[in-house]
Amino acid sequence: NAGVTQTPKFRILKIGQSMTLQCTQDMNHNYMYWYRQDPGMGLKLIYYSVGAGITDKGEVPNGYNVSRSTTEDFPLRLELAAPSQTSVYFCASSNRMNTEAFFGQGTRLTVV
Amino acid sequence: AQSVTQLDSQVPVFEEAPVELRCNYSSSVSVYLFWYVQYPNQGLQLLLKYLSGSTLVKGINGFEAEFNKSQTSFHLRKPSVHISDTAEYFCAVSSSLTSGGYQKVTFGTGTKLQVIP
């Protein structure tokens, strides 16, 4: 049972570079989420999706983009990396909104 | 707007001692409440949840929490902690909407539990 899988686990980017954080889940969940976690700040919702083809902004969407072409995959795109995007990113999924969420192991991103 | 407050950023406690991690939320309507645990370098996993019914909720690893509507609290407790309980604990809330349904979950800032041998 893989659950929610994120790749890569670690990444260092230079300012202005772009990258995609991958997320896939094998639980057939309709709802998927991207959060960022900064020390002392808890988790902030970046984007979420209620099903394939449907995405919406969370609290802190600026500088990010997402797509949801399949139920399983929910990649997060950073177009022009900035130092403020240095963070730990978590992908999560749930079978309904606001029920138990299952989290991936996170991607630690540093922008220098 | 809903919010959740975890006043204690760090809680040190000796092994086999009891612990209480505090969580208060701001909402005057129906709520769903959650506690998640995050072990070092891992994602979050659900400890327990309150959706409705009994106000005393039991979770995994011997943890329990009590929903107190009058005090808008959902404190997490364990009668005897182990070294393996060292982790960060997050409280989370989702409030009902007047238009129906529930808001997206809001997480607290976390409490680091440090169990001392």
Side-chain angles (χ1 to χ4, degrees), chain A residues 35 37 40-43 45 48 57-59 90 96-106 108, chain B residues 32 34 36 38 41-46 49 51 88 90 94 102-110:
Chain A
Y35 292 93
Q37 182 182 30
M41 301 294 288
L43 277 75
L45 183 64
Y48 68 100
K57 297 177 181 178
E59 298 174 75
F90 288 99
R96 287 183 295 162
M97 182 70 83
N98 307 326
T99 58
E100 176 182 2
F102 294 82
F103 284 79
Q105 298 224 328
R108 187 174 295 274
Chain B
Y32 292 161
F34 308 85
Y36 284 86
Q38 184 181 31
N41 300 315
Q42 293 189 27
L44 281 71
Q45 67 181 84
L46 186 71
K49 62 187 176 189
L51 303 182
E88 191 160 16
F90 292 91
S94 172
Y102 278 76
Q103 297 187 52
K104 293 178 289 300
V105 172
T106 297
F107 285 85
T109 52

Side-chain angles (χ1 to χ4, degrees), chain A residues 3-67:
Chain A
V4 178
T5 302
Q6 291 182 237
T7 57
K9 287 188 170 49
F10 305 93
R11 184 73 185 267
I12 298 175
L13 277 184
K14 294 184 178 178
I15 294 171
Q17 287 186 320
S18 62
M19 77 164 293
T20 300
L21 283 66
Q22 301 291 347
C23 175
T24 187
Q25 53 96 3
D26 62 359
M27 295 173 283
N28 203 33
H29 286 166
N30 282 326
Y31 297 88
M32 295 188 75
Y33 317 85
W34 274 106
Y35 292 93
R36 59 177 289 170
Q37 182 182 30
D38 300 297
M41 301 294 288
L43 277 75
K44 301 293 185 187
L45 183 64
I46 305 171
Y47 270 95
Y48 68 100
S49 170
V50 302
I54 307 170
T55 63
D56 205 350
K57 297 177 181 178
E59 298 174 75
V60 290
N62 293 342
Y64 307 94
N65 275 303
V66 293
S67 60

Side-chain angles (χ1 to χ4, degrees), chain B residues 9-25:
Chain B
S9 59
Q10 294 191 54
V11 173
V13 63
F14 286 104
E15 193 174 14
E16 297 183 7
V19 69
E20 178 180 84
L21 305 183
R22 296 181 294 167
C23 172
N24 288 89
Y25 64 92

Side-chain angles (χ1 to χ4, degrees), chain B residues 30-87:
Chain B
S30 298
V31 290
Y32 292 161
L33 292 157
F34 308 85
W35 275 100
Y36 284 86
V37 60
Q38 184 181 31
Y39 298 105
N41 300 315
Q42 293 189 27
L44 281 71
Q45 67 181 84
L46 186 71
L47 263 183
L48 49 81
K49 62 187 176 189
Y50 170 80
L51 303 182
S52 64
S54 173
T55 57
L56 184 62
V57 181
K58 293 189 183 297
I60 61 171
N61 301 339
F63 284 93
E64 64 181 31
E66 186 154 20
F67 170 55
N68 188 320
K69 189 171 184 177
S70 62
Q71 300 198 357
T72 61
S73 68
F74 190 55
H75 301 331
L76 182 70
R77 300 186 183 100
K78 186 169 183 178
S80 175
V81 295
H82 302 287
I83 294 290
S84 58
D85 293 323
T86 295

